[in-house]
Amino acid sequence: MSIAENLQRLQNQIHDACARAGRDSSGVSLMAVSKVHPVELLLEAHAAGQRLFGENRVQEFAEKFPSVAHLQDARFHLIGPLQNNKTTPAAQLFHAIDTVDSLKTAQRLSSAAAALNKTLPILLEIKLSPEDTKHGLDPAELPALLDAISPLPNITVVGLMTIPPYTASPEEAETARPYFQHLRRLRDENQRLHPALTELSIGMSNDFLVAIEEGSTTVRVGNALFGKRPSRPTP
Ligand SMILES: *Cc1c(COP(=O)(O)O)cnc(C)c1O
């Protein structure tokens, strides 16, 4: 299957899932997760009409960037953890950072964005399951973090994202549903005080149909679009 065919199939699946859920399909964006894949596949997806991309390492995207800098209409989001020493290049290279989970990172990003004369939309990454390998904010800390970030001049929190425990196949997608419901509840509860909080970045290749039923506004799809990822080269 070509990337163009995969894209078409995914768009159809998203459209049908929205129809079943009584949602307008313009409310769900498909993010192409191009991490680990060579930049040529990203260019192929763009040629097939894809505009929103997610990369999960700053360094990897910095290497790809010269090949995609001319794509004026493409948008690139960081969807992997952001180390302190990468804040400036991240603010430079990406249109949005979807994985902020501390005030310190938010402050650094706001300063970096100010120096670049831009305002960055960000998502807060929430940790809803106890696996200790995962990044993300404890949901109990969300209201205080939102209040603390509000005054920062060069970032705007536009939503929440989470990564539920790994599902190995679409048959296991139901296990993700309670995490999606939890994230949506957090967004809804905090929207009164923070009306810009509208986005829900939930759903990956195996569970995006469930995520759409639970209110996803962005599904982040890698394998189902680009095929299985090659393993990362050892450094
Ligand atoms: C890799 C990745 C994805 C895509 O996962 P697939 O299962 O390939 O669709 C989505 N979100 C994040 C944060 C990722 O790191």
Side-chain angles (χ1 to χ4, degrees):
M1 281 275 239
S2 71
I3 288 176
E5 287 169 319
N6 287 345
L7 255 185
Q8 189 57 55
R9 189 190 66 247
L10 285 162
Q11 293 291 6
N12 291 343
Q13 289 175 319
I14 291 169
H15 186 273
D16 292 349
C18 285
R20 285 194 302 271
R23 300 185 56 192
D24 189 327
S25 56
S26 65
V28 181
S29 303
L30 170 62
M31 175 184 283
V33 178
S34 43
K35 67 179 185 200
V36 194
H37 289 292
V39 71
E40 285 72 23
L41 294 197
L42 201 162
L43 292 168
E44 193 179 330
H46 183 270
Q50 180 63 27
R51 294 293 178 266
L52 176 63
F53 295 89
E55 283 277 337
N56 83 334
R57 292 191 182 183
V58 178
Q59 184 54 39
E60 179 183 340
F61 187 57
E63 287 162 20
K64 290 175 172 175
F65 188 73
S67 306
V68 299
H70 65 287
L71 306 177
Q72 293 295 332
D73 54 1
R75 291 185 60 80
F76 301 99
H77 288 217
L78 180 66
I79 59 166
L82 175 58
Q83 282 90 32
N84 279 335
N85 62 344
K86 299 274 169 60
T87 315
T88 296
Q92 238 156 17
L93 295 170
F94 290 100
H95 296 95
I97 310 293
D98 293 356
T99 51
V100 175
D101 64 359
S102 73
L103 180 58
K104 194 172 171 193
T105 301
Q107 286 166 331
R108 285 171 170 271
L109 268 179
S110 186
S111 306
L116 296 161
N117 239 324
K118 63 194 226 182
T119 300
L120 272 176
I122 67 166
L123 301 182
L124 297 180
E125 180 177 357
I126 312 293
K127 179 175 159 143
L128 298 175
S129 58
E131 299 139 74
D132 50 5
T133 54
K134 262 195 302 185
H135 301 262
L137 178 75
D138 182 330
E141 296 169 20
L142 177 60
L145 184 60
L146 283 167
D147 290 343
I149 289 179
S150 285
L152 298 177
N154 290 75
I155 56 173
T156 307
V157 184
V158 296
L160 305 178
M161 84 86 101
T162 197
I163 309 174
Y166 178 70
T167 44
S169 72
E171 286 70 43
E172 294 173 22
E174 281 301 326
T175 61
R177 190 183 297 276
Y179 299 94
F180 296 156
Q181 290 172 334
H182 190 173
L183 197 74
R184 180 187 197 152
R185 217 157 50 235
L186 290 170
R187 189 227 18 214
D188 293 350
E189 286 165 5
N190 287 281
Q191 220 169 20
R192 260 185 307 279
L193 289 176
H194 302 277
L197 201 67
T198 54
E199 303 284 327
L200 279 182
S201 175
I202 45 176
M204 313 190 348
S205 291
N206 286 334
D207 54 23
F208 69 94
L209 295 174
V210 171
I212 289 170
E213 290 171 9
E214 298 303 338
S216 177
T217 62
T218 300
V219 292
R220 311 179 306 264
V221 176
N223 286 327
L225 174 57
F226 293 115
K228 198 170 144 40
R229 277 182 289 280
S231 48
R232 282 189 189 281
T234 40

